[in-house]
Amino acid sequence: MARDETRIKIAIQKSGRLSEASLKLLDKSGLQFARSKDKLFWYGRNLPVDLLLVRDDDIPRLLLEGVCELGIVGQNVAAEKILEARRRRPDADLESLATLEFGHCRLMLAVPEDLDYQGPAQLAGQRIATSYPRLTRRWLHDHGVEADIVTLNGAVEIAPSLGTAEAIVDLVSTGTTLRANHLKAVAGVLDSQAALYRGSSVLPPERQALLDKLVQRILGVQRASETKYVMLHAPRDRLARITAILPGAETPTILPLEGQSERVAVHALCTEQVFWEHLEELKSAGASAILVLPVEKMLT
Ligand code: PRP
Ligand code: ZN
C-alpha cells in the first residue's frame, strides 16, 4: 500500500466484538467508504479519510508506529500493548481521546470452579495462562505475588483443564466462556470498554486540522448517543424540583403555554441516561406530557 501523506487512516477491528459498533460510529460521523468485503483497506469516498480493518491486537502498534492516526480498540488491548512497547521505548504512549461506551468487558483472574480461592497469595509459584502477560505481571506485582506467567495467544480458558496452568487471566464479557470451561472469576484486573486513540505521529497543520475536525465529529456522535432531549409540561412552582430530577441537564429552556399562567413547557438536554424511573419521578413531581427524544448530532 503506497503511503499517501495527505490522508488520514483509522484502524478498527476487522471482525469481532468491536467491529459493528466501530463502523456504525464512523458512519454516523459522516464518513463514507468504498467497502470491499475481504480487503483490509477501505478508501474514503467523501473525505480524505481511509479505514484499515485489522486484528484488534495490531491496532496499538499501527498507532504507535504512525501507520494510522486514529484507532478504535479496547482499553485492555491498548494497555497491554503500550506496556509491551515500553520495553523498547520507555516513553511509548497512546492518547485516549474518548471512551466509546461499547465493548464493555473485564480482564479477570479465574480459577477452577471447585477451588477454594482465598486471595492472591494463593497464586504464589503457580502458573497463570493469559494473552495479557504484562497487565497480569503488573497485577501480581501490585499484590506482592510471584507466579509464572504462561503466555498464550488464544484458547486461554482451556489451559487449566489441559494441566498447563492453575489459573488464567482473561477477558470476561457475558461469562459464558468461563462457565463452559468450569472456571470462576475471582478478581478483576482491568475494567475495559472501546476507546478512541490517537497515534503518536506529528502531522502537518492541514492534516492536523482534518484530524481535529474528524475527532470533533466522532465525539459529537458519541455525546449525542448518550444525550436525550426531554420535553414536558410542569407547574411553574415545581420547576426547581423538576429540573433537579432531569439527569445531567444544565439550564433548561422554559417556555410559556398559551392560555396557562400556572404551567410552563420545559425543554432540556439530558447528558446522562434517562431511565423510566426518572420519568416516573417527574410525573409524581407534577410533570405531564413528558417526551424523551433521541439526539442525532451535537456540535457545542
Ligand atoms: C474474549 C475472551 C474469551 C471471551 C469471553 O475473546 O478471550 O474467549 O471473549 O467472553 P464471554 O465472557 O462473553 O464468554 P474475544 O472475543 O475478545 O477474542 P480475542 O481475545 O481473540 O480478540
Ligand atoms: Zn483479539
Side-chain angles (χ1 to χ4, degrees):
M1 193 193 319
R3 195 107 160 224
D4 184 340
E5 300 297 348
T6 63
R7 301 179 70 87
I8 298 253
K9 282 188 227 43
I10 309 179
I12 67 164
Q13 187 182 33
K14 182 171 161 52
S15 61
R17 68 172 87 229
L18 305 182
S19 308
E20 207 185 305
S22 304
L23 274 177
K24 200 165 140 200
L25 177 62
L26 298 178
D27 177 60
K28 284 191 177 174
S29 304
L31 295 175
Q32 291 165 13
F33 303 100
R35 294 169 176 235
S36 44
K37 258 231 158 81
D38 0 81
K39 290 231 187 82
L40 302 178
F41 183 83
W42 289 7
Y43 188 80
R45 287 201 315 204
N46 61 335
L47 282 173
V49 179
D50 305 320
L51 206 56
L52 224 57
L53 294 105
V54 293
R55 277 177 48 114
D56 61 345
D57 316 53
D58 292 333
I59 295 175
R61 189 175 45 81
L62 292 170
L63 291 168
L64 288 164
E65 290 176 359
V67 177
C68 294
E69 287 74 31
L70 291 174
I72 296 175
V73 70
Q75 293 170 321
N76 54 311
V77 173
E80 177 69 22
K81 297 296 174 182
I82 289 169
L83 291 179
E84 185 183 312
R86 283 186 186 158
R87 274 184 317 166
R88 276 164 281 121
R89 244 180 58 204
D91 64 335
D93 210 355
L94 292 177
E95 185 188 353
S96 167
L97 301 173
T99 51
L100 300 175
E101 300 304 327
F102 62 84
H104 288 274
C105 58
R106 206 167 180 211
L107 190 62
M108 298 194 83
L109 171 73
V111 298
E113 261 166 12
D114 50 17
L115 184 88
D116 178 23
Y117 178 78
Q118 305 283 347
Q122 208 174 334
L123 300 167
Q126 306 265 290
R127 294 163 303 171
I128 304 175
T130 186
S131 310
Y132 297 84
R134 288 166 190 88
L135 289 172
T136 301
R137 184 164 304 134
R138 190 173 72 181
W139 186 85
L140 288 168
H141 181 266
D142 290 348
H143 289 81
V145 179
E146 292 250 6
D148 287 338
I149 295 171
V150 181
T151 305
L152 299 175
N153 284 323
V156 170
E157 60 276 2
I158 61 168
S161 62
L162 290 180
T164 52
E166 282 72 41
I168 68 168
V169 167
D170 201 9
L171 281 191
V172 181
S173 165
T174 59
T176 313
T177 306
L178 287 189
R179 273 193 299 278
N181 289 280
H182 303 289
L183 299 169
K184 61 178 176 188
V186 290
V189 173
L190 184 82
D191 284 326
S192 178
Q193 60 172 296
L196 175 68
Y197 290 94
R198 165 80 168 94
S200 3
S201 57
V202 178
L203 300 177
E206 215 169 291
R207 273 172 86 211
Q208 181 61 45
L210 171 64
L211 186 124
D212 290 343
K213 182 169 103 172
L214 199 61
V215 169
Q216 278 313 310
R217 282 195 188 185
I218 296 172
L219 297 183
V221 172
Q222 168 60 15
R223 239 175 320 128
S225 72
E226 292 168 6
T227 301
K228 295 282 178 278
Y229 196 72
V230 178
M231 305 197 286
L232 54 83
H233 292 178
R236 199 182 276 282
D237 58 2
R238 306 268 182 80
L239 274 178
R241 166 90 191 98
I242 282 173
T243 311
I245 299 168
L246 290 167
E250 299 215 322
T251 32
T253 308
I254 313 294
L255 303 159
L257 284 170
E258 188 61 33
Q260 295 195 40
S261 52
E262 262 81 85
R263 291 180 80 76
V264 288
V266 179
H267 289 192
L269 209 53
C270 291
T271 55
E272 288 160 31
Q273 268 207 77
V274 181
F275 295 108
W276 276 109
E277 285 73 14
H278 291 122
L279 305 191
E280 286 149 7
E281 226 183 306
L282 288 166
K283 192 158 187 274
S284 35
S288 62
I290 309 169
L291 281 180
V292 181
L293 307 173
V295 173
E296 196 182 275
K297 298 185 176 75
M298 273 178 87
L299 191 60
T300 51

